[in-house]
Amino acid sequence: MGFTEGWPDAPEPLPSPVVDNHCHLDTPIRGGVMIPVDEALDRAAAVGVTRTVQVGCDLEGSRWAVEVARQQPSVVAAVAMHPNDAARSETLEADLAEIDRLAADPVVRAVGETGLDYFRTGPEGRPQQQHSFRAHIEIAKRHDRTLVIHDRDAHDDVLAILDEVGVPDRVVMHCFSGDADFARRCLDRGAHLSFAGTVTFKNAEYLRDALRIAPRDRILVETDAPFLTPMPHRGEPNASFLVPHTVRFMAEVLDTDLAGLCRAIDANTDRAFGGHWPERFASVS
């Protein structure tokens, strides 16, 4: 099946490039189909999404992220055991040792997504999840990598563990899910707030309140593809080429110039992930 078959039409290209700072190109959709990486990156670049952070959620996915980043100059990798995977693992210490080894690779810019998920993991699994989060924070600090945090229904404990272990130099709150008060608490710790398609949902005014109070130099955008598809395509599989819907919506919420917001997001992502990496295309086609 070709990449365009059965997908929404591509949105109008953005006036200036941005980065999808969190996606899962290795996650199958539509009955097990996985989009060819080249096609996914080409379609994204055509609308102004010229760089990507490929995020691992387990050992297999983290190794895959490293390999793709080695092959694709527009991609960098993030490696980790997702909190729910960590809670289920029977070999967690060995898993963490492998994440530590992978994090040393130059194509790896981040350790994540790690963190806490109290929605899918019950009380019995939380101690192991918290142990994993602490270990990932130490790995990020040891290798000078950005810490990418998954936080679902665990705001207070996420911040408590960050404070306990020590906040790394660069932190990204992936798919930011809190209100304006929690946003301030994250910003006080130096974090960047990454907004996904959820910010476009009708029932997400609390996310829009968080966006409004965020300093312009701390705002990022992501897909979490193939999940969290923005309006007007909610319910369909997500992909990086749909990022323009989210960015345009964010510009409207902020009552700001779209091109200026794109430039800010692009520069913010460079800082958040420890420096610039080459673009796949020199300009938006």
Side-chain angles (χ1 to χ4, degrees):
M1 181 174 66
F3 183 79
T4 60
E5 184 179 340
W7 283 75
D9 291 337
E12 181 182 349
L14 292 168
S16 187
V18 300
V19 183
D20 179 0
N21 86 86
H22 194 113
C23 75
H24 303 284
L25 291 165
D26 57 331
T27 300
I29 59 167
R30 298 187 185 278
V33 173
M34 194 170 85
I35 303 166
V37 171
D38 282 340
E39 292 186 41
L41 297 177
D42 287 352
R43 191 163 174 82
V47 296
V49 185
T50 56
R51 296 184 287 157
T52 305
V53 181
Q54 168 63 24
V55 179
C57 289
D58 55 21
L59 294 188
E60 181 181 0
S62 294
R63 293 182 185 119
W64 192 88
V66 170
E67 288 305 312
V68 168
R70 287 173 177 166
Q71 298 165 15
Q72 300 285 350
S74 67
V75 177
V76 296
V79 299
M81 292 292 294
H82 187 285
N84 292 323
D85 290 271
R88 294 189 295 264
S89 176
E90 297 180 355
T91 57
L92 184 58
E93 295 309 317
D95 298 341
L96 293 170
E98 176 66 358
I99 294 299
D100 192 15
R101 186 190 70 80
L102 290 169
D105 194 295
V107 300
V108 174
R109 291 291 183 87
V111 171
E113 60 189 278
T114 181
L116 303 176
D117 188 321
Y118 291 173
F119 180 77
R120 296 195 183 280
T121 294
E124 70 286 349
R126 291 175 186 173
Q128 182 154 309
Q129 199 175 82
Q130 292 166 1
H131 171 72
S132 176
F133 184 31
R134 290 182 176 94
H136 279 83
I137 296 171
E138 295 287 10
I139 293 169
K141 292 164 71 174
R142 181 157 52 250
H143 296 285
D144 189 27
R145 302 296 188 240
T146 302
L147 183 72
V148 175
I149 295 178
H150 172 108
D151 164 31
R152 190 165 187 187
D153 296 350
H155 297 339
D156 290 342
D157 283 359
V158 162
L159 295 186
I161 290 175
L162 268 179
D163 291 343
E164 170 198 328
V165 181
V167 182
D169 289 340
R170 298 178 305 280
V171 174
V172 172
M173 299 301 296
H174 147 59
C175 186
F176 183 78
S177 61
D179 58 13
D181 177 67
F182 184 62
R184 290 187 183 93
R185 295 164 66 194
C186 294
L187 292 164
D188 286 346
R189 289 161 173 83
H192 286 76
L193 309 184
S194 182
F195 292 91
T198 46
V199 76
T200 72
F201 295 175
K202 184 177 180 180
N203 63 349
E205 189 62 29
Y206 67 100
L207 292 179
R208 295 186 278 278
D209 288 342
L211 173 62
R212 291 184 185 101
I213 66 97
R216 195 61 48 87
D217 64 355
R218 301 279 197 90
I219 295 171
L220 308 178
V221 71
E222 66 172 272
T223 55
D224 199 23
F227 314 107
L228 307 182
T229 311
M231 297 295 290
H233 301 294
R234 185 178 182 181
E236 302 176 60
N238 201 5
S240 295
F241 82 95
L242 296 177
V243 161
H245 289 299
T246 305
V247 178
R248 284 191 166 88
F249 186 90
M250 291 166 65
E252 292 176 4
V253 170
L254 295 171
D255 191 22
T256 194
D257 171 66
L258 176 61
L261 180 60
C262 290
R263 289 191 294 271
I265 289 171
D266 202 54
N268 295 347
T269 314
D270 282 344
R271 288 193 300 274
F273 286 87
H276 183 78
W277 67 92
E279 292 183 4
R280 183 175 175 82
F281 296 92
S283 61
V284 180
S285 57

